[in-house]
Amino acid sequence: MNAVPNELILAPSLLAGNHAALGASLAEIACAGLAWAHIDIMDGHFVPNISFGPKTVADLRPLATLHFDTHLMLAEPHKYIEAFARAGANGLTIHIEPQYPHRDTLRAIRALGLKSGIALNPGTPPEAVRDLLADADLVLAMTVHPGFGGQHFIGSVVEKIAALARWRVEGGHSYRIEVDGGIAADTALACRRAGADTLVAGTSFFKAADKPAFAAAILGK
Ligand code: DX5
Ligand code: ZN
């Protein structure tokens, strides 16, 4: 059974880039031959850290044609969907844990012409998003507790990836399965084997001296 219908993608996370020169960090992603940049948005409420806002995304937009895979770690993401769409995000991923209208927000993201994503913290069971899968273009299984880069990969999430991959086949869905946090060559392989097709890497990508070689290793090329 081929449970991975989507092309494998590596999306480096700008959180580990240079926040005073994000344009240069974007250029490093493009120069490595990659098509996606992962942009972490944090509000200091849903997660205990603060990162970028819509103006950051808007100012980065003219600098690259990369797909902006925008991860909203916000307590009230539904209030900011239009702002990030206007700023030029290509995909918006919202979390299941806070209380707000999840399905309506996923549908609003699609109605704006963007890819919709639903994210789960490491401790959130996959069943929490099961009835939203038809409204999602991407399901993000966090492999660290969200808020900070440079943490250790939580191996128990691999079972959740496998469940999401199984449900994708059983339900005839084509959502991407993304993993985010502690991704390097070894952990990427475990995630890919379980069915993940979209790999976020922050620290490991920006630390790599030879980024095209790092990308090839992560993608198994
Ligand atoms: C964590 C963020 C991640 C983070 C990953 O809240 O969602 O995208 O940048 O960083 P690394 O790859 O360093 O674990
Ligand atoms: Zn992220």
Side-chain angles (χ1 to χ4, degrees):
M1 176 182 76
N2 179 6
V4 184
N6 299 314
E7 180 202 352
L8 196 56
I9 282 177
L10 169 61
S13 168
L14 285 184
L15 193 66
N18 180 347
H19 291 209
L22 287 171
S25 298
L26 271 190
E28 290 187 273
I29 298 172
C31 287
L34 301 172
W36 281 36
H38 184 81
I39 306 181
D40 288 303
I41 310 293
M42 304 180 183
D43 66 354
H45 291 275
F46 177 61
V47 289
N49 196 6
I50 295 173
S51 58
F52 314 121
K55 174 96 161 75
T56 320
V57 175
D59 287 354
L60 289 173
R61 186 65 283 175
L63 305 183
T65 56
L66 297 167
H67 177 99
F68 284 176
D69 174 41
T70 311
H71 178 191
L72 302 181
M73 284 162 274
L74 307 177
E76 299 188 306
H78 55 302
K79 295 186 176 173
Y80 301 94
I81 297 309
E82 287 179 16
F84 281 103
R86 270 199 307 275
N90 301 101
L92 292 178
T93 298
I94 57 174
H95 270 262
I96 188 67
E97 293 83 10
Q99 289 307 310
Y100 61 91
H102 302 108
R103 190 185 312 279
D104 289 353
T105 307
L106 290 170
R107 289 182 176 173
I109 292 168
R110 279 187 173 168
L112 288 163
L114 278 61
K115 299 291 185 193
S116 63
I118 187 77
L120 304 90
N121 283 343
T124 304
E127 287 77 13
V129 300
R130 195 161 187 180
D131 73 335
L132 293 172
L133 294 176
D135 294 298
D137 298 306
L138 179 149
V139 181
L140 167 53
M142 288 302 300
T143 41
V144 298
H145 299 290
F148 298 91
Q151 303 181 70
H152 285 293
F153 178 83
I154 299 173
S156 55
V157 178
V158 170
E159 281 173 39
K160 185 181 335 191
I161 298 164
L164 292 167
R166 222 172 29 247
W167 294 345
R168 181 167 58 183
V169 172
E170 288 170 9
H173 300 295
S174 57
Y175 51 78
R176 289 189 161 275
I177 300 176
E178 182 173 63
V179 287
D180 182 9
I183 298 297
D186 52 347
T187 52
L189 183 59
C191 293
R192 282 167 43 205
R193 284 192 172 140
D197 50 45
T198 311
L199 311 166
V200 176
T203 305
S204 58
F205 176 82
F206 281 101
K207 271 197 178 157
D210 183 341
K211 292 182 168 54
F214 172 84
I218 288 271
L219 296 170
K221 287 184 177 164

